[in-house]
Amino acid sequence: MTIRVVLVDDQVLVRTGFRMILDETEGIEVVGEAGDGAAAVEVSARTRPDVVLMDVRMPGVDGITATGRIRALSPAPRVIILTTFDLDDYLFAGLRAGASGFLLKDTLADDLIAAVRVVASGEAVTAPTATRRLIAHYVAAPAPGPARADHRLDPLTVREREVLTLIARGLSNAEIAGSLRVSEGTVKTHIGRILAKLGLRDRIQAVILGYECGLVTP
């Protein structure tokens, strides 16, 4: 199944470079381009991509605003924020707007391709530095009360809580499967149920919730 991608960047040369990388990759097709946020929303609504690679700083409608509008489309494409600027404001604003990934433009071609595939499959991906700062932000947050009780986790079974805890610790599906002595398919099923029960969009939100609820402590 071909992954349909839209490229959004105000620099034609940047879009051309991304197109060269992705168009030469089996199973990925660039179906549209845009030079600003407003055009990105229009192109996404028309071409219905699976993934949008989104720049942040653009004239007119910026990438964060455009991400929110694109995520409101039906069906909603997944968005990877791709920027030169490794800034906390962009990271948190992008994730709040609904982005499933945050990468820097100096990301290697193979890592970019892998990120597109991961996000298209329903997972989330962030640059290593962004992931560390994201987790550190929530680890530094004050604990909610002595027992750190949180009723948001009430819908989960004991096993699903175990899986959520391991997700919050940063383990991959394969590592979770090894830790619990189950198959990766079983892990994926548990993760799907966790996201559905808790109303979470993706793995990043699961990590955040795990820290907020005290499943993982510093």
Side-chain angles (χ1 to χ4, degrees):
M1 186 174 177
T2 300
I3 300 171
R4 296 164 57 83
V5 178
V6 162
L7 305 175
V8 184
D9 197 289
D10 61 343
Q11 297 184 37
V12 176
L13 188 60
V14 172
R15 298 202 307 269
T16 300
F18 289 155
R19 178 180 280 275
M20 290 177 62
I21 293 171
L22 297 176
D23 273 345
E24 293 178 357
T25 303
E26 184 178 356
I28 297 178
E29 177 187 5
V30 176
V31 296
E33 297 184 20
D36 60 70
V41 178
E42 186 277 324
V43 171
S44 297
R46 176 166 45 83
T47 61
R48 297 192 173 189
D50 301 297
V51 177
V52 177
L53 290 181
M54 179 70 71
D55 188 22
V56 175
R57 290 187 175 180
M58 295 181 291
V61 177
D62 63 79
I64 303 299
T65 302
T67 293
R69 294 177 183 176
I70 287 172
R71 289 294 298 161
L73 297 175
S74 182
R78 293 186 172 271
V79 179
I80 298 176
I81 300 292
L82 199 60
T83 178
T84 306
F85 308 98
D86 186 12
L87 300 178
D88 284 345
D89 287 349
Y90 290 159
L91 170 61
F92 295 117
L95 295 178
R96 282 195 297 269
S100 295
F102 184 95
L103 297 176
L104 301 182
K105 286 183 180 178
D106 61 1
T107 297
L108 298 177
D110 287 346
D111 292 336
L112 174 63
I113 293 167
V116 168
R117 287 178 170 152
V118 166
V119 168
S121 73
E123 297 287 347
V125 62
T126 59
T129 55
T131 301
R132 287 195 293 271
R133 288 185 289 107
L134 178 66
I135 292 176
H137 173 82
Y138 283 94
V139 168
R148 303 195 70 175
D150 197 307
H151 295 297
R152 285 177 291 178
L153 301 183
D154 288 351
L156 301 184
T157 65
V158 173
R159 176 62 91 184
E160 287 165 352
R161 287 189 183 224
E162 289 177 336
V163 172
L164 179 57
T165 300
L166 296 176
I167 292 173
R169 288 177 180 167
L171 273 65
S172 67
N173 287 0
E175 290 169 333
I176 294 173
S179 176
L180 299 179
R181 299 178 182 272
V182 298
S183 69
E184 285 192 54
T186 298
V187 172
K188 290 180 180 178
T189 298
H190 283 312
I191 293 174
R193 289 174 179 166
I194 291 168
L195 298 183
K197 287 182 177 182
L198 301 181
L200 303 176
R201 185 180 64 247
D202 51 41
R203 204 182 193 96
I204 289 179
Q205 289 195 333
V207 170
I208 291 172
L209 184 63
Y211 275 96
E212 288 180 339
C213 294
L215 290 179
V216 179
T217 55

